[in-house]
Amino acid sequence: MAVEASSSQLSGLWQPQSRLKNLYYGPSCVQRHLLSTLPSQSSKAFVITGRSIATKTTLMQQLEALLGTHHAGTFSHIKQHGLVAELDQATDLVARDPSIDTIISVGGGSPIDAAKTISFRTNEKTGHYLIHFTIPTTLSAAECTAGGGYTKADGVKTGFMAPEMGVSAIFYDPGYAKYTPTQLWLATGVRAVDHAVETFYHPYATEMPWKALSIWALGVLFDCLPNAKLSHPNDEDVMTRLMLAAFASSGLRGKNVKGGMGLSHSLGHALGSPYGIPHGETSCLTLGDVVRLKAETEDAKQIARLLPATGGKPSGNARQDAREVGSRIVDLVVTLGLCQNLTERGVGKDQVPIIVGRATGGMKEGPVYDAVTQLVEGLY
């Protein structure tokens, strides 16, 4: 049974959910630890990645050479938001080789979620999940959850969750992350900010460890993201700190967490796959305004606790401090050069009711619907 924990900082329940057994971080951690982490000496691993990593870097050649006889194949056609046709094709390739026991995702949220979904589908066919290793190259933190999903033919993303879909080993290697374009790196960093912030008004977020780690993560993100704008991809320490902060923002949620994250995430899903907007960029669009909206509600007290992590000084007035958190998020997005609006993304104003309906679970009227409508209209 889920236990609410946000109403009192000193009352709650955290239940571990992760299948994670190993989290490696630092330069060359893939080279040093991947082979020894495989389930057995006879393990066969199938690699999932996207076209950019496969064609614009030498990472796949390096990884396949490292795996040697353990390499069972590579699928490099995963696109943004994971299209169902791609997942069908990759799942069929894995099914042809019953010796495959491990799947390795390399990239951002789309390859990572795709690998989880392939593992889920493999279980449906064979009765066992694949062991999932991941080498993240963005800060989206998809590696932190046991949920996956894909985009259906109509453009709407569907998701599902099973504990067995979770990642078994994470390799935060800046030698892989350095190939990520700076804008994508920074935008997914704002996605990690989104995770950390929306933790604080989630009704089932526990004080320890999730909120405690989220405060730490937010401080690192606000400190390192502006530095990364100037130093990426040359500063391995900054890259590694940011990857650890992304993990801290979402990696220890607990299995008793119910439901999605919060309004910014809901808007992100409503805007993301239907309109081809990456989730990092949706967070840049929505999070600051969502926080300022939440600052006028009972969530202000929790949001205000984040002000020091963003570089602000608390005034003692919860709503004022929560508003400042929202403003500082907006300022961070400006500093990172990530400002945009829905008009620039090609989303017509006639889509506002559709976006609001998706984000609010099908609402068509009422105070919440009106507030979210006003927020979305402000994104143009």
Side-chain angles (χ1 to χ4, degrees), residues 122-326:
T122 299
N123 177 66
E124 289 182 323
K125 292 183 177 183
T126 67
H128 64 83
Y129 288 85
L130 300 172
I131 301 298
H132 184 184
F133 292 178
T134 186
I135 307 170
T137 62
T138 75
L139 302 170
S140 66
E143 66 274 11
C144 295
T145 71
Y150 55 86
T151 300
K152 297 183 290 184
D154 62 2
V156 177
K157 195 166 187 176
T158 185
F160 45 90
M161 183 173 291
E164 297 85 357
M165 290 169 62
V167 170
S168 177
I170 300 172
F171 298 82
Y172 286 130
D173 193 327
Y176 281 70
K178 70 181 182 180
Y179 292 98
T180 302
T182 300
Q183 182 169 338
L184 176 59
W185 183 250
L186 298 176
T188 57
V190 177
R191 186 65 170 176
V193 172
D194 204 339
H195 297 323
V197 170
E198 292 222 300
T199 295
F200 269 74
Y201 44 81
H202 193 292
Y204 298 100
T206 54
E207 189 66 24
M208 181 60 70
W210 196 13
K211 286 186 178 180
L213 282 173
S214 290
I215 290 178
W216 176 83
L218 193 61
V220 174
L221 290 162
F222 263 77
D223 179 43
C224 287
L225 284 172
N227 290 335
K229 182 182 179 183
L230 303 175
S231 67
H232 188 77
N234 300 313
D235 192 324
E236 292 186 330
D237 286 347
V238 168
M239 278 189 280
T240 303
R241 288 185 69 198
L242 283 169
M243 288 189 283
L244 292 176
F247 176 83
S249 74
S250 197
L252 292 171
R253 295 179 63 186
K255 70 178 182 181
N256 54 320
V257 172
K258 293 173 62 177
M261 284 293 293
L263 179 57
S264 182
H265 279 69
S266 296
L267 285 167
H269 291 299
L271 291 167
S273 55
Y275 306 103
I277 306 175
H279 282 313
E281 294 183 24
T282 64
S283 293
C284 294
L285 280 162
T286 63
L287 181 59
D289 287 339
V290 166
V291 170
R292 289 192 287 208
L293 175 64
K294 291 280 188 179
E296 307 307 320
T297 72
E298 62 183 12
D299 293 320
K301 185 176 179 180
Q302 289 293 322
I303 296 169
R305 296 173 58 198
L306 296 170
L307 184 56
T310 68
K313 184 177 180 180
S315 68
N317 182 311
R319 291 199 173 187
Q320 178 179 319
D321 290 351
R323 290 186 205 108
E324 186 177 346
V325 172

